[in-house]
Amino acid sequence: LPADRSSPDCYSGDEGTNLVNSAKSIVRQFSEYDNTLFFTAANEIALNSGDAGYTSLPCVKALVRDVHKFQDSCSAMRSVPLLYAGQDIGSQGRRIVSDYLSCVDEDNGGEHA
């Protein structure tokens, strides 16, 4: 898998800025509702990349990390879990994705995504 990229690399240009701002807005708005059980990141992103989604994982990891930080910074907001969802790419692919997304990012103060 490619090395983890920092948020500015992932959120470059209007499209990237809109992505992170949109994610934060959705979390802020829907956290108010008791029937919001979780948020999903990267659902079926692999369908668009042609490589089981591997090249998009650094940005998925950065987005999840930044949304978690946003949730932690808003003490008045209800905490709602944020999940990764992707297409089933087989047991070997699931292990690769799971290991990558759950590994500790030493360059970011030892935080998980």
Side-chain angles (χ1 to χ4, degrees), residues 5-13 65-66:
R5 296 183 218 156
S6 65
S7 298
D9 291 341
C10 294
Y11 306 144
S12 62
R65 178 196 64 219
D66 293 343

Side-chain angles (χ1 to χ4, degrees), residues 33-78:
Y33 300 104
D34 292 336
N35 62 346
T36 300
L37 303 177
F38 58 87
F39 298 105
T40 305
N43 189 29
E44 299 181 4
I45 197 165
L47 295 175
N48 296 325
S49 68
D51 66 351
Y54 294 155
T55 56
S56 62
L57 289 177
C59 289
V60 169
K61 188 171 185 173
L63 179 67
V64 169
R65 178 196 64 219
D66 293 343
V67 170
H68 278 150
K69 285 182 179 180
F70 172 71
Q71 287 175 309
D72 290 344
S73 73
C74 300
S75 60
M77 188 170 56
R78 184 172 74 90

Side-chain angles (χ1 to χ4, degrees), residues 1 26 46 57 69-70 87 101 104 113:
L1 292 174
I26 290 167
L57 289 177
K69 285 182 179 180
F70 172 71
Q87 86 183 59
L101 291 177
V104 173

Side-chain angles (χ1 to χ4, degrees), residues 72-91:
D72 290 344
S73 73
C74 300
S75 60
M77 188 170 56
R78 184 172 74 90
S79 179
V80 179
L82 177 61
L83 310 173
Y84 168 79
Q87 86 183 59
D88 188 355
I89 55 176
S91 61

Side-chain angles (χ1 to χ4, degrees), residues 10-22:
C10 294
Y11 306 144
S12 62
D14 290 339
E15 185 175 295
T17 301
N18 290 340
L19 173 69
V20 71
N21 289 338
S22 177

